[in-house]
Amino acid sequence: MSTAELQPNELSSCLEALDQSNDFQVLRRLKPTKAYQTAPATGKVHKVCIIDTETTGLDTQNCEIIELGYQIIEFDSQGKLYKVLAAKNFLNEPEGEITAEVTQVTGLTFTDVEGHQIPWHEVQTDLADVTLCVAHNAGFDRPVLERYEPLFVDKIWGCSVQQIDWQALTDVGSRSQEFLCWKIGQFFYDAHRALDDVQALSQLLSLEIGSNQQPALSFLLQAVRQSKIIVKATGAPFDVKDELRKRGYRWNADARVWQKMMDEQRLEEEMVWLAANSTPNPTVVKLNANDSFSVRAQ
């Protein structure tokens, strides 16, 4: 008998039995929700936009958006998610081609997006009073979106890849969104389509993690609230490049320097490390609250 022939109560019993065994892990398909929990009668709530783009490539200065998905959700200062206010997905015809490699990842062909355009006026209305934008790789999505729509320039952004220490909080080494959903949330979804990715990330951020069992979003909010700086390893000798890379620095080809964004409160510790690695005079640039992950922070 196939699972398709099982009655719902029979299937539920099978899943419960598997869940109780140490030899199996059951993954359930994500069912998008309209509300993660009921908002309290008192207490201020804000709006977060969980957002994702599918593009024609990985060069943020030149790639084109072929799909945009986002959810706008109420949240509070403790990171609890409440009502989903909007869930939207738009296709967009690029000026250039959609390569076979992009189609393999996204499933989208030029025929799928031909004739479609993102209604940016609608996006502007939806995000007008959004407090925070969050992407799983904000360092990619934000620079791309800033090229298309000015409203993203002045928003505060958070990144669920860089601003949540998944390893320390969940003992999961990979920061891949799909893998985190499997390991922490025990659910799967159709990855690499914009709104599907957004709804999966929203669910992931609603899950309670860490020793104190707080919503994952709360840890991201803590990081967002920290003042940010860019540390440039000015004068670093060539032979420390591998150590810089391991520590999270990336090569800025235009400025010809290794650099990374970090919380300002960690600067003293970083200065000690750099000095111990033959780089005693780094350049430090203080960022504004809405600069994180923007081209202004590159």
Side-chain angles (χ1 to χ4, degrees), residues 219-240:
F219 296 97
L220 185 147
L221 293 178
Q222 291 172 29
V224 167
R225 292 170 184 140
Q226 297 292 326
S227 297
K228 301 294 187 297
I229 55 174
I230 291 179
V231 178
K232 300 184 179 183
T234 307
F238 180 79
D239 59 5
V240 302

Side-chain angles (χ1 to χ4, degrees), residues 45 71 90 121 290:
V45 295
Q71 282 200 134
F90 302 112
H121 62 282
N290 60 352

Side-chain angles (χ1 to χ4, degrees), residues 65-67 90-94 98 113 116-118 120 148:
I65 296 175
I66 56 176
E67 188 174 40
F90 302 112
L91 297 174
N92 193 62
E93 179 183 338
I98 296 178
V113 303
H116 291 272
Q117 289 187 325
I118 296 170
W120 290 109
Y148 279 81

